[in-house]
């Protein structure tokens, strides 16, 4: 799907489908057309207002109504999109409108569309915000994962070209930059989603390393993959303890994108890459265990973010560091009670083999220090407790640096891929006390996502560090079951923002 921006009068848009918005009126009055829709309505001698007055467009944001061959307009079809009440119109309604338009366009034969999404004012958001959300929302809606189905559903006629039209104003350089950012971000989201959706017999640690190799070749990135013997030599006893039960060789993937000035310290993004989490000897229950293939979503988001940043040639230095392995039971697997020595030198009593994410991450965080990073952000489907705390809306944010935390919050709000700060107070640390090692790998039931973060913080003392728990946001269960590609939009915005873009 190709996107472009053009200054264009709606009545003269020669297109398969002209997409216009209308707010619901208060009470019984007729709906309120957006400015572009008003212009089209004038050219069509009031036809749009006339149709809307009949009440066929529901009041819900994202509802749609299709008209054919409207006299006075050059377009073949007009798709009217409901925006809900004007005074309640906000980010969520905007996203619903984009999604509604996308699903209507999907079922049409139109090969191209002209959309007037840029003059729907969303609070104090500037126009480039609409633009990014429109592009990413469209790409999200048109995403399909059917590579493993032999009977493909009849492919919908391709919507090849989408014009984001500007009504009554020039196309700014800012808008062009926002378009490049949005399409590259959507490419990154696609990659993260597909990796999360791929089954665990395909998406293994070696597969993730191959994916990194593909990116390295395509975008000329630096790549290094550490193997089991390298981890042994270094002393990554925690990561090695997790991989013991598996027949899949572990990989520690280092992918470098150097788009910034040479002396600028790199941002290091650390991804949890458990390609399947059975729980190990502390085995998980069978129900929904299949979903634990998405336990590599942190890793997927790191690859996605790097793809996006390299794809838009962002002027930043970023290193992706991925700890990839599988958590399986078996004769060689780690046991509850095992004590291991981590790369940092600290020892850990493994009381639950299902708390494996923090074990692979603690060695990756210790390894990250060697890049002399500007800051380190780890991304992990770390705890079920985070899903209980924040649901599927906000990613959990933990940080030992106020400014870093603020920047991540701001980036999440801007990308509409939001995070919520959680405490990392000293008071929680005592839950990790162990009688047999420096610490235990679990802290009991209370505040499970906090004690997991507290564990990680012990390996990040010398770093400006933040941890994103994406257990609730990287995946959707139920009818729409599948990977979301979050938090790629957040990471991209954050890295760009930190570089002053
Ligand atoms: N990968 C899971 C966390 C998870 C749970 C992600 C549900 C997504 C959905 C993690 O490795 C895990 O098993 N965590 C345990 C920790 C516990 C043993 C302290 C959990 O959350 O139950
Ligand atoms: Mn686990
Ligand atoms: Zn896990």
């Amino acid at each position: 799907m190709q996107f472009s921006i053009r200054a264009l009068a709606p009545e003269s848009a020669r297109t398969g489908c002209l997409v216009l918005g209308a707010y619901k009126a208060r009470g019984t009055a007729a709906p309120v057309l957006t400015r572009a829709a008003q212009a089209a309505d004038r050219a069509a001698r009031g036809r749009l207002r006339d149709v809307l007055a009949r009440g066929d467009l529901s009041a819900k944001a994202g509802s749609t109504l299709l008209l054919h061959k409207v006299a006075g307009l050059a377009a073949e079809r007009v798709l009217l999109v409901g925006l809900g009440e004007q005074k309640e119109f906000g980010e969520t309604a905007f996203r619903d409108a984009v999604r509604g338009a996308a699903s209507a366009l999907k079922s049409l034969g139109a090969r191209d569309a002209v959309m007037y999404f840029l003059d729907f004012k969303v609070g104090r958001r500037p126009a480039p915000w609409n633009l990014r959300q429109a592009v990413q929302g469209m790409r999200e809606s048109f995403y399909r994962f059917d590579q493993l189905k032999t009977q493909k559903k009849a492919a919908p006629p391709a919507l090849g070209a989408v014009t984001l039209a500007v009504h009554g104003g020039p196309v700014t350089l800012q808008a062009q930059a926002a378009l490049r950012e949005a399409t590259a971000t959507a490419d990154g989201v696609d990659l993260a989603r597909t990796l999360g959706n791929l089954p665990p017999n395909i998406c293994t640690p070696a597969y993730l390393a191959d994916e990194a190799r593909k990116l390295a070749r395509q975008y000329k990135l630096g790549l290094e993959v550490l193997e089991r013997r390298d981890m042994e030599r270094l002393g990554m006893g925690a990561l090695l303890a997790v991989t013991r039960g598996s027949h899949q060789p572990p990989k520690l993937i280092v992918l470098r994108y150097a788009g910034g000035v040479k002396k600028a310290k790199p941002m290091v993004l650390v991804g949890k890459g458990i390609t399947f989490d059975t729980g190990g000897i502390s085995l998980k229950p069978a129900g929904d265990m299949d979903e634990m293939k998405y336990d590599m979503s942190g890793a997927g988001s790191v690859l996605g973010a790097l793809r996006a940043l390299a794809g838009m040639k962002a002027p930043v230095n970023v290193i992706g560091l991925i700890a990839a392995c599988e958590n399986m039971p078996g004769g060689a697997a780690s046991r509850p009670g095992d004590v291991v020595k981590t790369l940092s030198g600290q020892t850990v009593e493994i009381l639950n083999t299902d708390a494996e994410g923090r074990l692979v991450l603690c060695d990756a965080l210790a390894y990250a220090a060697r890049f002399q990073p500007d800051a380190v952000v780890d991304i992990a489907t770390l705890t079920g407790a985070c899903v209980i705390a924040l649901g599927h809306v906000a990613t959990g944010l933990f940080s030992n640096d106020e400014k870093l935390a603020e920047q991540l919050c701001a980036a999440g709000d801007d990308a509409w891929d939001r995070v919520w700060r959680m405490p990392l107070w000293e008071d929680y640390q005592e839950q990790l006390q162990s009688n047999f090692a420096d610490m235990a790998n679990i802290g009991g039931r209370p505040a499970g996502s906090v004690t997991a973060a507290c564990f990680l913080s012990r390996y990040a003392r010398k770093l400006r560090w933040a941890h994103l728990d994406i257990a609730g946001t990287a995946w959707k269960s139920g009818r729409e079951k599948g990977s979301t590609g979050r938090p790629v939009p957040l990471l991209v915005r954050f890295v760009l923002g930190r570089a002053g873009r």
Side-chain angles (χ1 to χ4, degrees):
M1 195 183 297
Q2 284 292 335
F3 291 89
S4 58
I5 321 172
R6 258 175 74 194
L8 189 61
E11 63 275 15
S12 49
R14 218 165 278 290
T15 173
C17 193
L18 175 65
V19 182
L20 300 166
Y23 299 100
K24 179 196 176 295
R26 299 248 205 101
T28 52
V32 182
L33 296 172
T34 60
R35 286 193 312 127
Q38 282 171 25
D41 185 57
R42 276 193 298 275
R45 298 176 177 277
R47 179 71 202 295
L48 304 184
R49 217 173 276 277
D50 204 44
V51 170
L52 287 170
R54 273 170 245 258
D56 289 1
L57 185 66
S58 111
K60 271 222 329 268
S63 56
T64 55
L65 183 61
L66 185 70
L67 309 175
H68 287 270
K69 287 216 174 9
V70 176
L73 302 183
E76 287 166 40
R77 309 172 184 81
V78 174
L79 184 69
L80 293 171
V81 183
L83 303 177
E85 283 223 26
Q86 185 159 17
K87 71 173 189 335
E88 281 160 25
F89 189 66
E91 290 85 357
T92 305
F94 184 86
R95 299 255 303 192
D96 288 347
V98 173
R99 221 168 309 154
S103 79
L105 285 167
K106 242 191 280 186
S107 55
L108 285 184
R111 298 190 175 280
D112 74 314
V114 172
M115 311 181 85
Y116 283 87
F117 272 139
L118 303 183
D119 67 349
F120 309 172
K121 193 79 190 127
V122 183
R124 290 197 316 282
R125 306 277 184 189
W129 187 90
N130 290 27
L131 204 139
R132 292 197 324 248
Q133 289 298 327
V135 170
Q136 288 169 216
M138 288 288 288
R139 287 279 304 270
E140 192 182 312
S141 297
F142 275 79
Y143 172 89
R144 280 157 59 110
F145 182 81
D146 57 7
Q147 61 191 87
L148 302 175
K149 291 188 191 281
T150 56
Q151 306 278 317
K152 310 248 192 266
K153 279 194 209 135
L159 180 66
V162 175
T163 302
L164 296 157
V166 180
H167 175 62
V171 175
T172 61
L173 282 173
Q174 261 178 327
Q176 296 289 5
L179 177 59
R180 273 194 303 276
E181 180 184 330
T183 49
T185 302
D187 289 342
V189 168
D190 269 12
L191 175 62
R193 275 178 96 173
T194 295
L195 290 172
N197 286 333
L198 280 168
N201 59 329
I202 294 177
C203 186
T204 59
Y207 187 95
L208 289 176
D210 284 343
E211 258 335 275
R213 201 161 291 127
K214 271 196 228 156
L215 289 180
R217 224 174 283 139
Q218 188 177 354
Y219 297 105
K220 301 194 172 42
L221 311 182
L223 177 71
E224 201 183 341
V225 178
L226 277 66
E227 306 291 336
R228 186 195 308 270
R229 56 179 181 282
D230 303 311
M231 301 171 194
E232 285 166 355
R233 194 172 40 76
L234 286 160
M236 298 184 157
L239 203 175
L240 287 165
V242 175
T243 192
R244 284 180 63 92
S246 170
H247 292 289
Q248 299 294 336
K251 308 278 174 186
L252 186 74
I253 304 164
V254 185
L255 191 59
R256 292 170 190 257
Y257 168 63
V261 293
K262 217 170 178 181
K263 65 170 203 298
K265 289 182 171 177
M267 174 67 58
V268 179
L269 302 178
V270 179
K272 170 178 173 182
I274 299 295
T275 58
F276 196 68
D277 181 12
T278 64
I281 296 298
S282 312
L283 192 65
K284 286 183 181 294
D288 296 331
M289 201 206 270
D290 64 287
E291 296 194 348
M292 278 302 116
K293 67 177 182 179
Y294 89 92
D295 213 15
M296 39 52 66
S297 296
S301 74
V302 170
L303 292 176
L306 275 152
R307 178 183 181 176
L309 292 163
M312 71 179 85
K313 300 194 168 69
V316 296
N317 296 335
V318 185
I319 297 176
L321 179 59
I322 290 170
C325 73
E326 201 180 39
N327 188 22
M328 298 287 277
S334 293
R335 293 147 289 247
D338 282 2
V339 173
V340 298
K341 186 160 192 155
T342 64
L343 177 60
S344 74
Q346 302 174 93
T347 57
V348 176
E349 182 185 14
I350 302 177
L351 285 177
N352 189 320
T353 63
D354 197 13
E356 85 298 338
R358 61 198 81 180
L359 293 174
V360 302
L361 288 173
C362 75
D363 280 345
L365 288 173
Y367 192 74
R370 70 170 54 201
F371 303 116
Q372 288 169 330
D374 167 32
V376 176
V377 178
D378 79 68
I379 305 103
T381 46
L382 202 64
T383 64
C386 192
V387 189
I388 303 302
L390 300 173
H392 304 282
V393 178
T395 291
L397 164 66
F398 302 81
S399 181
N400 62 9
D401 186 276
E402 293 304 308
K403 189 159 160 232
L404 185 60
E406 270 165 34
Q407 288 172 338
L408 281 159
C409 284
D413 180 76
D414 194 7
W416 208 242
D417 181 2
R418 288 168 296 171
V419 304
W420 191 256
R421 182 113 185 242
M422 302 278 280
L424 251 188
W425 299 327
E426 205 50 43
D427 316 51
Y428 291 101
Q429 291 282 355
E430 68 187 40
Q431 286 177 241
L432 295 172
Q433 187 272 340
S434 159
N435 281 2
F436 304 104
D438 294 340
M439 71 197 79
N441 78 327
I442 53 171
R445 299 254 298 160
S449 68
V450 181
T451 53
C454 283
F455 181 94
L456 296 179
S457 74
R458 296 177 179 216
Y459 299 83
R461 288 200 181 105
K462 292 180 210 134
L463 304 170
R464 260 200 290 268
W465 160 79
H467 156 60
L468 298 172
D469 194 331
I470 58 167
T473 50
W475 184 260
K476 281 187 187 151
S477 302
R479 200 168 49 81
E480 286 186 277
K481 179 164 166 169
S483 173
T484 62
R486 287 180 69 184
V488 171
L490 157 69
L491 293 173
V492 171
R493 237 344 28 248
F494 163 69
V495 171
L496 289 172
R498 190 143 169 121
R501 297 280 164 146

